Amino acid sequence: QLQSELPIFCEGVTRHDVLVAAALATKWKEPPKDALDTLVLNSIDLAPLDMYVQVDYVPFDPRVKRTESTLQRSDGSTFKVTKGAPQVILDMAYNKEDIRDAVEDKVKTLAKRGVRCLAVACSNEAVAGWVFMGILTFLDPPRPDSSHTIGKAREFGVSVKMITGDQAPIAVEMARTIGLGANILGTDKLPKYNPNEEVSIHLGRDYGSYIESADGFAQVFPEHKFLIVEALRQRGFVVGMT
């Protein structure tokens, strides 16, 4: 559910501007691909978007955590829009160091209330870079039976961990809500993945106890999930993911 709160981080930008840019960062002429696109596309009248021609589109990739569109105006000039994880979009902004504290503080404050964030930016020739426009906020609560399911799994001796691409504050709040535990760690101490090398046979020895001690991991990439599972398997565990 899209929330009314929409923090702005660029002077002169309105809530409507951010929603339009977010919609342009989708394939708005096609059925929504996921729940986030559905939220975005249902938030505004899409007819005015047809004044632009979408000349290129990069769909969401869990490795880069954003989408990107290249649009052409009626005069032939082009610009780009992107939407995605706040930390990713923030690092693209031309003035990232000037707004970093404000953006990160806002994301953390929202996360403590269980509110998720989707950042939106557009290219701007005047600054020769990306302008961080604002943050869409939305609720994505866990299934009502999540806490019960986790409890039953534990009764049968199954250890449950959360592995998510969400930022740590959101992950901690989610873990608290479903009774999972608050020891949610980052990826800084996890093994690095090199696709050109064989997976180490010592993952379990070197990282197993660290992974076992955690209730979950936040801001992970797909390769982290693989390495976490492999480390646990090397420790003798049977591992399933859902």
Side-chain angles (χ1 to χ4, degrees), residues 6-15 17-18 93-95 99 102-103 120-124 127 130-135:
L6 199 162
I8 302 293
F9 294 91
C10 179
E11 186 176 354
V13 168
T14 66
R15 171 187 173 85
D17 293 336
V18 179
Y94 82 97
N95 60 339
I99 64 174
V103 171
V120 181
C122 65
S123 63
N124 187 311
V127 297
W130 289 93
V131 174
F132 193 108
M133 301 175 68
I135 294 175

Side-chain angles (χ1 to χ4, degrees), residues 9-32:
F9 294 91
C10 179
E11 186 176 354
V13 168
T14 66
R15 171 187 173 85
H16 184 70
D17 293 336
V18 179
L19 291 172
V20 168
L24 289 172
T26 70
K27 299 284 285 185
W28 73 88
K29 294 186 179 182
E30 300 178 3

Side-chain angles (χ1 to χ4, degrees), residues 188-207:
D188 53 312
K189 293 184 180 179
L190 289 176
K192 307 300 181 184
Y193 176 72
N194 185 337
N196 298 318
E197 296 179 358
E198 292 289 333
V199 175
S200 171
I201 61 173
H202 301 303
L203 288 178
R205 181 197 67 187
D206 297 339
Y207 299 96

